[in-house]
Amino acid sequence: MMDKEGKVHGKGCVHMKKIAILTSGGDSQGMNSAIRAVVRTGLSRGYEMYGVKRGFKGLMNDDFFKMVSKDVSDILYRGGTFLQSARSERFKTPEGQKIAVENLQKRGIDYVVVIGGDGSYKGAQVLIKHGIKTFGLPGTIDNDIPLTDYTIGFDTTLNVVTDAIGNLRDTMSSHERVSVIEAMGRHCGDIALQAGISSGVDAILIPEVPYDLEAIAAELKAGFDRGKSHSIVIVAEGAGSAEEVAKELKALSGLDTRATILGHIQRGGTPSAFDRVFTSRMGHRVIELIEEGISGVALGMEKNEITYHTFDEIFAGKNKINEKMYHVFMDLV
Ligand code: F6P
């Protein structure tokens, strides 16, 4: 039996099952706490744990290191990923995939845990096709993975964006301006939608819902005519650029507008309590699933339960905007 420091006790030479873990794609707050949960639970159940540096690149470069409990100390509350992350074009080629799989087999790795977004899940699916028992954890701030109510980092990002909007509101109101704020989300407007609701903005532009800038400009103008001191418009990057939208709204309304692109600020910061608990539960569940003989699945949370689905089910699922949530905004604006 191995203790938390990785020392083997007792007699006999038993094959310790090996689990490798990597983070891939855009980082998100809570990846570290997910790694910690997988590693600590794995060690306590007698598995050998390996970190892989820089995602799928690390698999191809044979960049593995053995982890003991201390390796994941002091990371629960840190944003980013201490394993580092990358997007790899080479892993999309058969040659890159072959090298990665050979490295895993050479090291006798029994399971791989991939933390990342949809691109990373495609990589996980490749490993499964090569016979590697793989798990996925939804690591992306975008909240755009089907069959989970949340992705890792989404809640933290929502808080970061809500704080940023609060700061912008102060100065916009002093100068009687319209603030057009661009939030991340290439294909999914969830960050813009939920930060828009939490901040009581005047308009939300998201890729899932068509919008009419002329109508929005008229409403903003009417608001100022009624005596409003400022207005806030939030646009998801997949729905347009803040610069363009601000320019057009100014031309249409005559109001003084300013554009702010929040950019990568949204991906940083200490994970929220929600993200820490969510990731701790999912990381712990991965090890339970291994013990139940289940693999080849991606985990998530549905109705506050940690659930799992095959990657095929995830890819077949369409990530849709929460329409009820959109109507909440429309009725409150
Ligand atoms: O997918 C997560 C995400 O943060 C998107 O919202 C954004 O469009 C993209 O990553 C930015 O990627 P990069 O960090 O490579 O510029």
Side-chain angles (χ1 to χ4, degrees):
M1 188 67 183
M2 188 163 48
D3 69 16
K4 282 194 160 193
E5 298 310 315
K7 289 184 196 121
V8 178
H9 299 275
K11 46 188 174 164
C13 180
V14 193
H15 167 65
M16 311 297 299
K17 293 255 185 200
K18 296 178 180 176
I19 305 175
I21 179 159
L22 63 87
T23 49
S24 161
D27 66 349
S28 66
Q29 312 93 328
M31 281 183 162
N32 277 330
S33 46
I35 298 165
R36 172 180 177 271
V38 176
V39 170
R40 289 254 163 104
T41 314
L43 290 174
S44 75
R45 307 280 170 97
Y47 294 90
E48 268 183 38
M49 304 301 302
Y50 291 84
V52 182
K53 296 291 272 189
R54 299 174 199 87
F56 291 96
K57 263 192 191 164
L59 288 185
M60 293 179 290
N61 295 339
D62 203 22
D63 207 350
F64 292 68
F65 69 103
K66 196 168 171 184
M67 288 197 279
V68 295
S69 189
K70 193 162 182 320
D71 289 314
V72 292
S73 291
D74 271 346
I75 64 167
L76 173 65
Y77 33 79
R78 289 189 202 280
T81 161
F82 92 105
L83 290 178
Q84 287 160 318
S85 191
R87 303 189 199 267
S88 170
E89 285 306 312
R90 192 174 167 220
F91 188 73
K92 293 182 184 156
T93 67
E95 172 256 346
Q97 293 167 7
K98 186 167 172 277
I99 294 172
V101 170
E102 280 170 3
N103 285 336
L104 286 164
Q105 287 166 343
K106 176 183 81 185
R107 289 176 172 274
I109 301 291
D110 298 287
Y111 302 95
V112 177
V113 180
V114 172
I115 309 177
D118 49 359
S120 312
Y121 274 18
K122 294 207 175 93
Q125 183 80 309
V126 166
L127 296 179
I128 292 169
K129 291 208 167 113
H130 283 86
I132 311 280
K133 294 184 172 122
T134 305
F135 295 88
L137 297 186
T140 166
I141 62 165
D142 289 0
N143 212 30
D144 61 350
I145 304 274
L147 302 177
T148 179
D149 295 341
Y150 295 98
T151 57
I152 297 169
F154 172 69
D155 180 70
T156 306
T157 295
L158 213 47
N159 285 297
V160 170
V161 176
T162 302
D163 285 351
I165 295 176
N167 291 354
L168 286 164
R169 188 187 297 283
D170 291 343
T171 170
M172 294 300 147
S173 141
S174 308
H175 291 269
E176 295 173 283
R177 285 173 172 158
V178 176
S179 178
V180 180
I181 301 162
E182 185 177 313
M184 276 187 168
R186 276 175 295 197
H187 312 291
C188 175
D190 252 18
I191 296 173
L193 174 58
Q194 297 199 36
I197 293 175
S198 73
S199 308
V201 304
D202 300 271
I204 297 177
L205 313 186
I206 54 177
E208 297 88 343
V209 181
Y211 58 86
D212 173 355
L213 282 186
E214 264 181 45
I216 294 171
E219 276 164 35
L220 295 179
K221 177 89 178 43
F224 275 83
D225 289 345
R226 284 196 309 272
K228 280 189 75 159
S229 63
H230 66 276
S231 279
I232 311 272
V233 175
I234 184 162
V235 49
E237 63 177 327
S241 93
E243 291 284 358
E244 289 295 316
V245 171
K247 219 159 88 186
E248 249 183 276
L249 287 177
K250 184 181 170 120
L252 290 165
S253 66
L255 295 168
D256 192 10
T257 62
R258 289 290 186 276
T260 304
I261 301 169
L262 296 178
H264 289 84
I265 281 200
Q266 293 161 94
R267 290 225 301 249
T270 183
S272 65
F274 175 88
D275 273 317
R276 296 182 202 187
V277 175
F278 170 44
T279 49
S280 298
R281 290 176 69 194
M282 277 195 300
H284 182 266
R285 185 76 184 116
V286 167
I287 305 298
E288 284 183 347
L289 289 177
I290 289 176
E291 300 198 318
E292 290 167 24
I294 293 164
S295 67
V297 295
L299 287 79
M301 187 163 88
E302 294 165 281
K303 300 194 173 122
N304 202 27
E305 290 296 324
I306 301 301
T307 56
Y308 59 88
H309 297 275
T310 64
F311 287 91
D312 282 342
E313 284 167 343
I314 306 266
F315 293 136
K318 193 161 162 35
N319 193 55
K320 294 187 300 238
I321 199 77
N322 185 327
E323 279 178 25
K324 278 194 185 152
M325 191 102 73
Y326 191 75
H327 288 130
V328 168
F329 167 69
M330 292 305 282
D331 285 342
L332 296 184
V333 70

